[in-house]
Each structure stands twice: as C-alpha cells, then as structure tokens.
Amino acid sequence: MEAAAISPRAGVRLDRTKLDFELARRGISAQELSSVIGVHAVVLSRARNGHAVREATFRKIANGLLAIPVMDGAVELLAEPVS
C-alpha cells in the first residue's frame, strides 16, 4: 500500500517541541541539522516557527534525524515533549 502524497500547496507543519526534543536527544542544533541534510538554515528555522514545508523538505528532516544517533544518556536527562 502506497502512502498518500501530501498536497504540494498544503505542505507539512512540524511540531517544534518534538523537533527540539529530537535535536536535544542527538546533541545537535537546528543549524547543524540543516548542514547535515542540505537544507538552508532559514528553511529549518521557519519550519520550527510554524511555517509549512514541502514534503521533500520534511523527508530530508525525518531521514536526517534517523541517520544521526541518539546521544548516550540523553533520553534519561530530557523531559518528554508535551503536545
């Protein structure tokens, strides 16, 4: 079964709290993530501030986070994000 594509006009809105939690678990900044995934820092900053991103950008962010290992001990120190 193929996942439905996101409408190009709709875009994807990220949950800033969850994204920041995932960055903290990996011990990286949004700036560092943007460099790793090849997305301009401004695009990632805007996404963190509630602006929609294209599906391709969302995939880069998600795949980039999957490729970066979680820092040892980080999970025990961080509070779970509250939605």
Side-chain angles (χ1 to χ4, degrees), residues 31-72:
Q31 178 76 37
E32 291 168 318
L33 177 62
S34 70
S35 294
V36 168
I37 64 175
V39 170
H40 198 282
V42 171
V43 173
L44 192 54
S45 176
R46 288 176 52 82
R48 290 179 67 233
N49 287 298
H51 295 271
V53 296
R54 295 180 307 150
E55 182 180 4
T57 303
F58 169 73
R59 290 180 186 278
K60 287 179 182 181
I61 294 168
N63 290 331
L65 287 171
L66 287 173
I68 300 168
V70 174
M71 203 169 57
D72 289 337

PDB file of all heavy atoms in Angstrom, residues 31-72:
ATOM      1  N   GLN A  31      20.895  24.362  13.387  1.00  0.00           N
ATOM      2  CA  GLN A  31      21.891  24.787  12.396  1.00  0.00           C
ATOM      3  C   GLN A  31      22.704  23.583  11.912  1.00  0.00           C
ATOM      4  O   GLN A  31      22.947  23.419  10.714  1.00  0.00           O
ATOM      5  CB  GLN A  31      22.822  25.838  13.015  1.00  0.00           C
ATOM      6  CG  GLN A  31      23.921  26.318  12.097  1.00  0.00           C
ATOM      7  CD  GLN A  31      23.429  27.275  11.035  1.00  0.00           C
ATOM      8  OE1 GLN A  31      22.556  28.080  11.306  1.00  0.00           O
ATOM      9  NE2 GLN A  31      23.974  27.186   9.843  1.00  0.00           N
ATOM     10  N   GLU A  32      23.124  22.739  12.853  1.00  0.00           N
ATOM     11  CA  GLU A  32      23.897  21.548  12.483  1.00  0.00           C
ATOM     12  C   GLU A  32      23.052  20.589  11.651  1.00  0.00           C
ATOM     13  O   GLU A  32      23.537  20.026  10.668  1.00  0.00           O
ATOM     14  CB  GLU A  32      24.422  20.849  13.732  1.00  0.00           C
ATOM     15  CG  GLU A  32      25.494  21.642  14.448  1.00  0.00           C
ATOM     16  CD  GLU A  32      25.817  21.106  15.830  1.00  0.00           C
ATOM     17  OE1 GLU A  32      24.887  20.734  16.582  1.00  0.00           O
ATOM     18  OE2 GLU A  32      27.022  21.059  16.159  1.00  0.00           O
ATOM     19  N   LEU A  33      21.788  20.411  12.035  1.00  0.00           N
ATOM     20  CA  LEU A  33      20.908  19.537  11.256  1.00  0.00           C
ATOM     21  C   LEU A  33      20.745  20.071   9.840  1.00  0.00           C
ATOM     22  O   LEU A  33      20.815  19.307   8.882  1.00  0.00           O
ATOM     23  CB  LEU A  33      19.539  19.391  11.929  1.00  0.00           C
ATOM     24  CG  LEU A  33      18.520  18.545  11.150  1.00  0.00           C
ATOM     25  CD1 LEU A  33      19.013  17.114  10.995  1.00  0.00           C
ATOM     26  CD2 LEU A  33      17.164  18.586  11.838  1.00  0.00           C
ATOM     27  N   SER A  34      20.557  21.369   9.714  1.00  0.00           N
ATOM     28  CA  SER A  34      20.375  21.941   8.376  1.00  0.00           C
ATOM     29  C   SER A  34      21.598  21.681   7.495  1.00  0.00           C
ATOM     30  O   SER A  34      21.455  21.394   6.313  1.00  0.00           O
ATOM     31  CB  SER A  34      20.058  23.433   8.448  1.00  0.00           C
ATOM     32  OG  SER A  34      21.165  24.186   8.875  1.00  0.00           O
ATOM     33  N   SER A  35      22.790  21.750   8.075  1.00  0.00           N
ATOM     34  CA  SER A  35      24.011  21.464   7.312  1.00  0.00           C
ATOM     35  C   SER A  35      24.069  20.004   6.885  1.00  0.00           C
ATOM     36  O   SER A  35      24.441  19.693   5.751  1.00  0.00           O
ATOM     37  CB  SER A  35      25.247  21.788   8.147  1.00  0.00           C
ATOM     38  OG  SER A  35      25.330  23.161   8.391  1.00  0.00           O
ATOM     39  N   VAL A  36      23.695  19.108   7.795  1.00  0.00           N
ATOM     40  CA  VAL A  36      23.751  17.666   7.516  1.00  0.00           C
ATOM     41  C   VAL A  36      22.772  17.276   6.414  1.00  0.00           C
ATOM     42  O   VAL A  36      23.107  16.480   5.542  1.00  0.00           O
ATOM     43  CB  VAL A  36      23.460  16.848   8.801  1.00  0.00           C
ATOM     44  CG1 VAL A  36      23.218  15.391   8.499  1.00  0.00           C
ATOM     45  CG2 VAL A  36      24.595  17.018   9.801  1.00  0.00           C
ATOM     46  N   ILE A  37      21.578  17.846   6.438  1.00  0.00           N
ATOM     47  CA  ILE A  37      20.543  17.419   5.488  1.00  0.00           C
ATOM     48  C   ILE A  37      20.518  18.242   4.209  1.00  0.00           C
ATOM     49  O   ILE A  37      19.762  17.941   3.290  1.00  0.00           O
ATOM     50  CB  ILE A  37      19.147  17.413   6.147  1.00  0.00           C
ATOM     51  CG1 ILE A  37      18.712  18.818   6.566  1.00  0.00           C
ATOM     52  CG2 ILE A  37      19.110  16.439   7.307  1.00  0.00           C
ATOM     53  CD1 ILE A  37      17.305  18.898   7.113  1.00  0.00           C
ATOM     54  N   GLY A  38      21.318  19.301   4.158  1.00  0.00           N
ATOM     55  CA  GLY A  38      21.381  20.103   2.931  1.00  0.00           C
ATOM     56  C   GLY A  38      20.192  21.018   2.732  1.00  0.00           C
ATOM     57  O   GLY A  38      19.797  21.295   1.604  1.00  0.00           O
ATOM     58  N   VAL A  39      19.628  21.492   3.841  1.00  0.00           N
ATOM     59  CA  VAL A  39      18.520  22.442   3.785  1.00  0.00           C
ATOM     60  C   VAL A  39      19.016  23.741   4.393  1.00  0.00           C
ATOM     61  O   VAL A  39      19.688  23.729   5.420  1.00  0.00           O
ATOM     62  CB  VAL A  39      17.300  21.895   4.579  1.00  0.00           C
ATOM     63  CG1 VAL A  39      16.232  22.946   4.738  1.00  0.00           C
ATOM     64  CG2 VAL A  39      16.738  20.662   3.899  1.00  0.00           C
ATOM     65  N   HIS A  40      18.685  24.852   3.762  1.00  0.00           N
ATOM     66  CA  HIS A  40      19.132  26.146   4.280  1.00  0.00           C
ATOM     67  C   HIS A  40      18.609  26.333   5.697  1.00  0.00           C
ATOM     68  O   HIS A  40      17.476  25.967   6.018  1.00  0.00           O
ATOM     69  CB  HIS A  40      18.635  27.269   3.369  1.00  0.00           C
ATOM     70  CG  HIS A  40      19.377  28.545   3.576  1.00  0.00           C
ATOM     71  ND1 HIS A  40      19.135  29.369   4.637  1.00  0.00           N
ATOM     72  CD2 HIS A  40      20.366  29.118   2.860  1.00  0.00           C
ATOM     73  CE1 HIS A  40      19.938  30.411   4.572  1.00  0.00           C
ATOM     74  NE2 HIS A  40      20.699  30.280   3.490  1.00  0.00           N
ATOM     75  N   ALA A  41      19.429  26.906   6.563  1.00  0.00           N
ATOM     76  CA  ALA A  41      19.060  27.115   7.969  1.00  0.00           C
ATOM     77  C   ALA A  41      17.785  27.939   8.112  1.00  0.00           C
ATOM     78  O   ALA A  41      16.999  27.717   9.041  1.00  0.00           O
ATOM     79  CB  ALA A  41      20.215  27.773   8.714  1.00  0.00           C
ATOM     80  N   VAL A  42      17.555  28.858   7.203  1.00  0.00           N
ATOM     81  CA  VAL A  42      16.346  29.682   7.265  1.00  0.00           C
ATOM     82  C   VAL A  42      15.098  28.830   7.057  1.00  0.00           C
ATOM     83  O   VAL A  42      14.080  29.027   7.722  1.00  0.00           O
ATOM     84  CB  VAL A  42      16.411  30.834   6.229  1.00  0.00           C
ATOM     85  CG1 VAL A  42      15.083  31.566   6.137  1.00  0.00           C
ATOM     86  CG2 VAL A  42      17.535  31.786   6.581  1.00  0.00           C
ATOM     87  N   VAL A  43      15.177  27.853   6.162  1.00  0.00           N
ATOM     88  CA  VAL A  43      14.037  26.963   5.914  1.00  0.00           C
ATOM     89  C   VAL A  43      13.711  26.175   7.174  1.00  0.00           C
ATOM     90  O   VAL A  43      12.543  26.071   7.577  1.00  0.00           O
ATOM     91  CB  VAL A  43      14.333  26.007   4.734  1.00  0.00           C
ATOM     92  CG1 VAL A  43      13.232  24.966   4.575  1.00  0.00           C
ATOM     93  CG2 VAL A  43      14.524  26.797   3.446  1.00  0.00           C
ATOM     94  N   LEU A  44      14.733  25.648   7.824  1.00  0.00           N
ATOM     95  CA  LEU A  44      14.512  24.881   9.052  1.00  0.00           C
ATOM     96  C   LEU A  44      14.002  25.782  10.169  1.00  0.00           C
ATOM     97  O   LEU A  44      13.107  25.406  10.926  1.00  0.00           O
ATOM     98  CB  LEU A  44      15.799  24.157   9.466  1.00  0.00           C
ATOM     99  CG  LEU A  44      15.641  23.107  10.550  1.00  0.00           C
ATOM    100  CD1 LEU A  44      14.588  22.068  10.197  1.00  0.00           C
ATOM    101  CD2 LEU A  44      16.967  22.425  10.813  1.00  0.00           C
ATOM    102  N   SER A  45      14.522  26.979  10.261  1.00  0.00           N
ATOM    103  CA  SER A  45      14.063  27.929  11.268  1.00  0.00           C
ATOM    104  C   SER A  45      12.590  28.275  11.063  1.00  0.00           C
ATOM    105  O   SER A  45      11.808  28.307  12.019  1.00  0.00           O
ATOM    106  CB  SER A  45      14.913  29.200  11.225  1.00  0.00           C
ATOM    107  OG  SER A  45      14.413  30.160  12.127  1.00  0.00           O
ATOM    108  N   ARG A  46      12.226  28.512   9.830  1.00  0.00           N
ATOM    109  CA  ARG A  46      10.819  28.832   9.538  1.00  0.00           C
ATOM    110  C   ARG A  46       9.927  27.643   9.873  1.00  0.00           C
ATOM    111  O   ARG A  46       8.832  27.813  10.421  1.00  0.00           O
ATOM    112  CB  ARG A  46      10.658  29.245   8.079  1.00  0.00           C
ATOM    113  CG  ARG A  46      11.248  30.623   7.783  1.00  0.00           C
ATOM    114  CD  ARG A  46      11.162  30.998   6.307  1.00  0.00           C
ATOM    115  NE  ARG A  46       9.842  30.881   5.723  1.00  0.00           N
ATOM    116  CZ  ARG A  46       8.877  31.799   5.826  1.00  0.00           C
ATOM    117  NH1 ARG A  46       9.109  32.906   6.498  1.00  0.00           N
ATOM    118  NH2 ARG A  46       7.703  31.616   5.249  1.00  0.00           N
ATOM    119  N   ALA A  47      10.379  26.443   9.578  1.00  0.00           N
ATOM    120  CA  ALA A  47       9.604  25.237   9.908  1.00  0.00           C
ATOM    121  C   ALA A  47       9.418  25.123  11.419  1.00  0.00           C
ATOM    122  O   ALA A  47       8.331  24.786  11.889  1.00  0.00           O
ATOM    123  CB  ALA A  47      10.301  24.001   9.362  1.00  0.00           C
ATOM    124  N   ARG A  48      10.467  25.438  12.174  1.00  0.00           N
ATOM    125  CA  ARG A  48      10.383  25.383  13.640  1.00  0.00           C
ATOM    126  C   ARG A  48       9.439  26.448  14.186  1.00  0.00           C
ATOM    127  O   ARG A  48       8.939  26.315  15.300  1.00  0.00           O
ATOM    128  CB  ARG A  48      11.767  25.558  14.263  1.00  0.00           C
ATOM    129  CG  ARG A  48      12.675  24.354  14.026  1.00  0.00           C
ATOM    130  CD  ARG A  48      14.059  24.539  14.622  1.00  0.00           C
ATOM    131  NE  ARG A  48      13.972  24.583  16.071  1.00  0.00           N
ATOM    132  CZ  ARG A  48      14.490  25.569  16.816  1.00  0.00           C
ATOM    133  NH1 ARG A  48      15.116  26.575  16.252  1.00  0.00           N
ATOM    134  NH2 ARG A  48      14.389  25.534  18.123  1.00  0.00           N
ATOM    135  N   ASN A  49       9.195  27.484  13.400  1.00  0.00           N
ATOM    136  CA  ASN A  49       8.324  28.574  13.834  1.00  0.00           C
ATOM    137  C   ASN A  49       6.928  28.508  13.228  1.00  0.00           C
ATOM    138  O   ASN A  49       6.227  29.516  13.159  1.00  0.00           O
ATOM    139  CB  ASN A  49       9.002  29.920  13.542  1.00  0.00           C
ATOM    140  CG  ASN A  49      10.133  30.167  14.507  1.00  0.00           C
ATOM    141  OD1 ASN A  49       9.914  30.264  15.710  1.00  0.00           O
ATOM    142  ND2 ASN A  49      11.348  30.238  13.998  1.00  0.00           N
ATOM    143  N   GLY A  50       6.527  27.331  12.777  1.00  0.00           N
ATOM    144  CA  GLY A  50       5.148  27.122  12.356  1.00  0.00           C
ATOM    145  C   GLY A  50       4.834  27.241  10.886  1.00  0.00           C
ATOM    146  O   GLY A  50       3.688  27.055  10.481  1.00  0.00           O
ATOM    147  N   HIS A  51       5.817  27.551  10.061  1.00  0.00           N
ATOM    148  CA  HIS A  51       5.565  27.638   8.619  1.00  0.00           C
ATOM    149  C   HIS A  51       5.601  26.240   8.001  1.00  0.00           C
ATOM    150  O   HIS A  51       6.389  25.391   8.408  1.00  0.00           O
ATOM    151  CB  HIS A  51       6.616  28.524   7.944  1.00  0.00           C
ATOM    152  CG  HIS A  51       6.539  29.953   8.383  1.00  0.00           C
ATOM    153  ND1 HIS A  51       5.745  30.874   7.748  1.00  0.00           N
ATOM    154  CD2 HIS A  51       7.141  30.604   9.406  1.00  0.00           C
ATOM    155  CE1 HIS A  51       5.862  32.036   8.357  1.00  0.00           C
ATOM    156  NE2 HIS A  51       6.704  31.899   9.374  1.00  0.00           N
ATOM    157  N   ALA A  52       4.771  26.025   7.028  1.00  0.00           N
ATOM    158  CA  ALA A  52       4.720  24.731   6.353  1.00  0.00           C
ATOM    159  C   ALA A  52       5.949  24.546   5.467  1.00  0.00           C
ATOM    160  O   ALA A  52       6.498  25.514   4.929  1.00  0.00           O
ATOM    161  CB  ALA A  52       3.453  24.635   5.509  1.00  0.00           C
ATOM    162  N   VAL A  53       6.382  23.300   5.344  1.00  0.00           N
ATOM    163  CA  VAL A  53       7.500  22.955   4.452  1.00  0.00           C
ATOM    164  C   VAL A  53       6.996  21.959   3.409  1.00  0.00           C
ATOM    165  O   VAL A  53       5.984  21.291   3.606  1.00  0.00           O
ATOM    166  CB  VAL A  53       8.700  22.340   5.227  1.00  0.00           C
ATOM    167  CG1 VAL A  53       9.291  23.347   6.182  1.00  0.00           C
ATOM    168  CG2 VAL A  53       8.312  21.070   5.947  1.00  0.00           C
ATOM    169  N   ARG A  54       7.725  21.885   2.322  1.00  0.00           N
ATOM    170  CA  ARG A  54       7.379  20.917   1.278  1.00  0.00           C
ATOM    171  C   ARG A  54       7.594  19.500   1.799  1.00  0.00           C
ATOM    172  O   ARG A  54       8.364  19.272   2.719  1.00  0.00           O
ATOM    173  CB  ARG A  54       8.232  21.142   0.034  1.00  0.00           C
ATOM    174  CG  ARG A  54       7.971  22.474  -0.638  1.00  0.00           C
ATOM    175  CD  ARG A  54       8.822  22.685  -1.866  1.00  0.00           C
ATOM    176  NE  ARG A  54      10.223  22.484  -1.512  1.00  0.00           N
ATOM    177  CZ  ARG A  54      11.152  22.037  -2.341  1.00  0.00           C
ATOM    178  NH1 ARG A  54      10.860  21.764  -3.576  1.00  0.00           N
ATOM    179  NH2 ARG A  54      12.390  21.893  -1.945  1.00  0.00           N
ATOM    180  N   GLU A  55       6.922  18.550   1.165  1.00  0.00           N
ATOM    181  CA  GLU A  55       7.059  17.147   1.542  1.00  0.00           C
ATOM    182  C   GLU A  55       8.512  16.700   1.418  1.00  0.00           C
ATOM    183  O   GLU A  55       9.020  15.964   2.276  1.00  0.00           O
ATOM    184  CB  GLU A  55       6.158  16.269   0.675  1.00  0.00           C
ATOM    185  CG  GLU A  55       6.231  14.798   1.052  1.00  0.00           C
ATOM    186  CD  GLU A  55       5.333  13.934   0.188  1.00  0.00           C
ATOM    187  OE1 GLU A  55       4.700  14.434  -0.755  1.00  0.00           O
ATOM    188  OE2 GLU A  55       5.276  12.729   0.480  1.00  0.00           O
ATOM    189  N   ALA A  56       9.211  17.156   0.380  1.00  0.00           N
ATOM    190  CA  ALA A  56      10.615  16.770   0.189  1.00  0.00           C
ATOM    191  C   ALA A  56      11.484  17.263   1.342  1.00  0.00           C
ATOM    192  O   ALA A  56      12.383  16.550   1.798  1.00  0.00           O
ATOM    193  CB  ALA A  56      11.130  17.328  -1.133  1.00  0.00           C
ATOM    194  N   THR A  57      11.201  18.462   1.829  1.00  0.00           N
ATOM    195  CA  THR A  57      11.961  19.006   2.957  1.00  0.00           C
ATOM    196  C   THR A  57      11.656  18.212   4.217  1.00  0.00           C
ATOM    197  O   THR A  57      12.558  17.887   4.994  1.00  0.00           O
ATOM    198  CB  THR A  57      11.633  20.494   3.165  1.00  0.00           C
ATOM    199  OG1 THR A  57      11.922  21.195   1.956  1.00  0.00           O
ATOM    200  CG2 THR A  57      12.426  21.084   4.310  1.00  0.00           C
ATOM    201  N   PHE A  58      10.385  17.890   4.421  1.00  0.00           N
ATOM    202  CA  PHE A  58      10.005  17.067   5.565  1.00  0.00           C
ATOM    203  C   PHE A  58      10.748  15.737   5.546  1.00  0.00           C
ATOM    204  O   PHE A  58      11.261  15.280   6.570  1.00  0.00           O
ATOM    205  CB  PHE A  58       8.488  16.838   5.564  1.00  0.00           C
ATOM    206  CG  PHE A  58       8.057  15.797   6.545  1.00  0.00           C
ATOM    207  CD1 PHE A  58       8.065  16.059   7.908  1.00  0.00           C
ATOM    208  CD2 PHE A  58       7.661  14.547   6.115  1.00  0.00           C
ATOM    209  CE1 PHE A  58       7.688  15.086   8.819  1.00  0.00           C
ATOM    210  CE2 PHE A  58       7.279  13.574   7.011  1.00  0.00           C
ATOM    211  CZ  PHE A  58       7.289  13.837   8.374  1.00  0.00           C
ATOM    212  N   ARG A  59      10.818  15.123   4.388  1.00  0.00           N
ATOM    213  CA  ARG A  59      11.519  13.830   4.274  1.00  0.00           C
ATOM    214  C   ARG A  59      13.004  13.971   4.593  1.00  0.00           C
ATOM    215  O   ARG A  59      13.596  13.121   5.243  1.00  0.00           O
ATOM    216  CB  ARG A  59      11.325  13.235   2.886  1.00  0.00           C
ATOM    217  CG  ARG A  59       9.915  12.759   2.636  1.00  0.00           C
ATOM    218  CD  ARG A  59       9.759  12.169   1.227  1.00  0.00           C
ATOM    219  NE  ARG A  59       8.395  11.855   0.935  1.00  0.00           N
ATOM    220  CZ  ARG A  59       7.777  10.744   1.316  1.00  0.00           C
ATOM    221  NH1 ARG A  59       8.425   9.845   2.009  1.00  0.00           N
ATOM    222  NH2 ARG A  59       6.511  10.543   1.004  1.00  0.00           N
ATOM    223  N   LYS A  60      13.622  15.066   4.144  1.00  0.00           N
ATOM    224  CA  LYS A  60      15.036  15.297   4.458  1.00  0.00           C
ATOM    225  C   LYS A  60      15.237  15.432   5.960  1.00  0.00           C
ATOM    226  O   LYS A  60      16.193  14.891   6.519  1.00  0.00           O
ATOM    227  CB  LYS A  60      15.544  16.560   3.755  1.00  0.00           C
ATOM    228  CG  LYS A  60      15.736  16.406   2.275  1.00  0.00           C
ATOM    229  CD  LYS A  60      16.224  17.705   1.669  1.00  0.00           C
ATOM    230  CE  LYS A  60      16.371  17.596   0.162  1.00  0.00           C
ATOM    231  NZ  LYS A  60      16.861  18.846  -0.428  1.00  0.00           N
ATOM    232  N   ILE A  61      14.346  16.158   6.614  1.00  0.00           N
ATOM    233  CA  ILE A  61      14.452  16.347   8.064  1.00  0.00           C
ATOM    234  C   ILE A  61      14.297  15.008   8.776  1.00  0.00           C
ATOM    235  O   ILE A  61      15.110  14.651   9.644  1.00  0.00           O
ATOM    236  CB  ILE A  61      13.408  17.366   8.566  1.00  0.00           C
ATOM    237  CG1 ILE A  61      13.725  18.761   8.006  1.00  0.00           C
ATOM    238  CG2 ILE A  61      13.357  17.388  10.090  1.00  0.00           C
ATOM    239  CD1 ILE A  61      12.610  19.780   8.200  1.00  0.00           C
ATOM    240  N   ALA A  62      13.262  14.263   8.418  1.00  0.00           N
ATOM    241  CA  ALA A  62      12.999  12.978   9.069  1.00  0.00           C
ATOM    242  C   ALA A  62      14.146  11.994   8.832  1.00  0.00           C
ATOM    243  O   ALA A  62      14.626  11.351   9.774  1.00  0.00           O
ATOM    244  CB  ALA A  62      11.684  12.395   8.559  1.00  0.00           C
ATOM    245  N   ASN A  63      14.604  11.883   7.605  1.00  0.00           N
ATOM    246  CA  ASN A  63      15.700  10.960   7.295  1.00  0.00           C
ATOM    247  C   ASN A  63      17.001  11.394   7.945  1.00  0.00           C
ATOM    248  O   ASN A  63      17.797  10.559   8.384  1.00  0.00           O
ATOM    249  CB  ASN A  63      15.872  10.813   5.787  1.00  0.00           C
ATOM    250  CG  ASN A  63      14.731  10.051   5.152  1.00  0.00           C
ATOM    251  OD1 ASN A  63      14.112   9.198   5.775  1.00  0.00           O
ATOM    252  ND2 ASN A  63      14.425  10.370   3.909  1.00  0.00           N
ATOM    253  N   GLY A  64      17.233  12.698   8.013  1.00  0.00           N
ATOM    254  CA  GLY A  64      18.424  13.211   8.676  1.00  0.00           C
ATOM    255  C   GLY A  64      18.440  12.861  10.148  1.00  0.00           C
ATOM    256  O   GLY A  64      19.466  12.442  10.692  1.00  0.00           O
ATOM    257  N   LEU A  65      17.293  13.009  10.802  1.00  0.00           N
ATOM    258  CA  LEU A  65      17.216  12.658  12.222  1.00  0.00           C
ATOM    259  C   LEU A  65      17.426  11.162  12.430  1.00  0.00           C
ATOM    260  O   LEU A  65      18.075  10.751  13.400  1.00  0.00           O
ATOM    261  CB  LEU A  65      15.872  13.095  12.811  1.00  0.00           C
ATOM    262  CG  LEU A  65      15.711  14.602  13.018  1.00  0.00           C
ATOM    263  CD1 LEU A  65      14.277  14.927  13.385  1.00  0.00           C
ATOM    264  CD2 LEU A  65      16.673  15.103  14.089  1.00  0.00           C
ATOM    265  N   LEU A  66      16.903  10.355  11.530  1.00  0.00           N
ATOM    266  CA  LEU A  66      17.099   8.906  11.650  1.00  0.00           C
ATOM    267  C   LEU A  66      18.567   8.513  11.482  1.00  0.00           C
ATOM    268  O   LEU A  66      19.026   7.543  12.072  1.00  0.00           O
ATOM    269  CB  LEU A  66      16.250   8.166  10.618  1.00  0.00           C
ATOM    270  CG  LEU A  66      14.755   8.136  10.889  1.00  0.00           C
ATOM    271  CD1 LEU A  66      14.016   7.520   9.705  1.00  0.00           C
ATOM    272  CD2 LEU A  66      14.458   7.357  12.166  1.00  0.00           C
ATOM    273  N   ALA A  67      19.294   9.275  10.684  1.00  0.00           N
ATOM    274  CA  ALA A  67      20.696   8.958  10.407  1.00  0.00           C
ATOM    275  C   ALA A  67      21.640   9.383  11.531  1.00  0.00           C
ATOM    276  O   ALA A  67      22.764   8.897  11.608  1.00  0.00           O
ATOM    277  CB  ALA A  67      21.126   9.608   9.105  1.00  0.00           C
ATOM    278  N   ILE A  68      21.189  10.283  12.398  1.00  0.00           N
ATOM    279  CA  ILE A  68      22.042  10.787  13.475  1.00  0.00           C
ATOM    280  C   ILE A  68      21.717  10.010  14.745  1.00  0.00           C
ATOM    281  O   ILE A  68      20.565  10.027  15.200  1.00  0.00           O
ATOM    282  CB  ILE A  68      21.823  12.297  13.698  1.00  0.00           C
ATOM    283  CG1 ILE A  68      22.147  13.063  12.418  1.00  0.00           C
ATOM    284  CG2 ILE A  68      22.663  12.804  14.871  1.00  0.00           C
ATOM    285  CD1 ILE A  68      21.704  14.503  12.434  1.00  0.00           C
ATOM    286  N   PRO A  69      22.693   9.332  15.327  1.00  0.00           N
ATOM    287  CA  PRO A  69      22.405   8.524  16.512  1.00  0.00           C
ATOM    288  C   PRO A  69      22.043   9.370  17.732  1.00  0.00           C
ATOM    289  O   PRO A  69      22.494  10.509  17.878  1.00  0.00           O
ATOM    290  CB  PRO A  69      23.713   7.758  16.757  1.00  0.00           C
ATOM    291  CG  PRO A  69      24.762   8.551  16.072  1.00  0.00           C
ATOM    292  CD  PRO A  69      24.094   9.274  14.940  1.00  0.00           C
ATOM    293  N   VAL A  70      21.224   8.774  18.589  1.00  0.00           N
ATOM    294  CA  VAL A  70      20.844   9.408  19.847  1.00  0.00           C
ATOM    295  C   VAL A  70      22.052   9.371  20.780  1.00  0.00           C
ATOM    296  O   VAL A  70      22.759   8.370  20.856  1.00  0.00           O
ATOM    297  CB  VAL A  70      19.637   8.676  20.478  1.00  0.00           C
ATOM    298  CG1 VAL A  70      19.313   9.219  21.853  1.00  0.00           C
ATOM    299  CG2 VAL A  70      18.434   8.773  19.555  1.00  0.00           C
ATOM    300  N   MET A  71      22.281  10.468  21.466  1.00  0.00           N
ATOM    301  CA  MET A  71      23.412  10.596  22.381  1.00  0.00           C
ATOM    302  C   MET A  71      23.178   9.708  23.613  1.00  0.00           C
ATOM    303  O   MET A  71      22.077   9.700  24.175  1.00  0.00           O
ATOM    304  CB  MET A  71      23.521  12.065  22.813  1.00  0.00           C
ATOM    305  CG  MET A  71      24.854  12.495  23.274  1.00  0.00           C
ATOM    306  SD  MET A  71      24.963  14.306  23.444  1.00  0.00           S
ATOM    307  CE  MET A  71      23.646  14.672  24.566  1.00  0.00           C
ATOM    308  N   ASP A  72      24.195   8.962  24.029  1.00  0.00           N
ATOM    309  CA  ASP A  72      24.090   8.130  25.220  1.00  0.00           C
ATOM    310  C   ASP A  72      23.727   8.975  26.428  1.00  0.00           C
ATOM    311  O   ASP A  72      24.324  10.018  26.671  1.00  0.00           O
ATOM    312  CB  ASP A  72      25.415   7.409  25.504  1.00  0.00           C
ATOM    313  CG  ASP A  72      25.717   6.311  24.496  1.00  0.00           C
ATOM    314  OD1 ASP A  72      24.764   5.820  23.864  1.00  0.00           O
ATOM    315  OD2 ASP A  72      26.895   5.955  24.353  1.00  0.00           O
TER     316      ASP A  72
END
